[in-house]
Amino acid sequence: EFRDYARQIVANAKALAETLTAGGIKLASGGTDNHLMLCDVTAIGLSGKIAEAALDRAGITVNKNMIPYDQRKPLDPSGIRIGTAALTTRGMKEDEMRQVGEWILRVLRAPDDVAVAARTADEIRQFTRSFPVPGIA
């Protein structure tokens, strides 16, 4: 079971990475071979700090993060770090990762738009009802 779960985490990360790169986000390593990815959001005109805050308003949790050879400061870096383990634990697979990627791209294309964040947060709340957190009734 754990091997299947680990394989699904990686498959989910690859699906999410493909969606993000197709949307113009650069990945620090060009892709992913594990459970996470480091995204360079300067390619779309943002900093990691702005991206993290915009996504948080929409209910998407990521961490601002420095990228290799980052010229920006640690508290306002060039990247964000995204992982797929928590979503995989909830039962999400590749199709759901593509949807998550589309939400991320939508929010990052309009990081100051409160209406976009609110609409996305509502869609995510509806969506996650089908994927409850294990152990929480």
Side-chain angles (χ1 to χ4, degrees):
E1 283 182 29
F2 182 76
R3 278 181 239 207
D4 291 340
Y5 170 68
R7 279 190 208 96
Q8 190 62 56
I9 288 172
V10 173
N12 284 351
K14 287 180 185 285
L16 181 56
E18 289 169 4
T19 302
L20 295 176
T21 56
I25 299 215
K26 292 175 75 175
L27 298 185
S29 62
T32 185
D33 292 325
N34 57 36
H35 65 289
L36 58 87
M37 63 214 71
L38 184 55
C39 305
D40 178 355
V41 293
T42 61
I44 58 170
L46 300 176
S47 72
K49 182 178 180 179
I50 291 169
E52 177 188 55
L55 291 167
D56 187 59
R57 284 191 291 277
I60 299 170
T61 303
V62 301
N63 298 99
K64 64 182 178 276
N65 210 97
M66 293 187 77
I67 61 172
Y69 311 106
D70 204 333
Q71 299 298 308
R72 299 182 64 88
K73 297 181 189 243
L75 293 178
D76 190 18
S78 296
I80 55 173
R81 183 175 56 93
I82 304 173
T84 58
L87 300 180
T88 305
T89 298
R90 293 178 78 157
M92 295 182 199
K93 297 203 170 156
E94 291 91 338
D95 286 342
E96 289 82 20
M97 292 302 104
R98 290 182 193 94
Q99 177 60 62
V100 169
E102 291 301 325
W103 282 320
I104 290 170
L105 291 168
R106 178 198 298 168
V107 171
L108 294 183
R109 288 180 182 134
D112 298 319
D113 192 325
V114 176
V116 167
R119 184 176 88 238
T120 303
D122 187 52
E123 290 174 16
I124 290 169
R125 276 190 291 279
Q126 296 295 322
F127 175 81
T128 56
R129 288 183 180 155
S130 298
F131 299 95
V133 176
I136 297 178

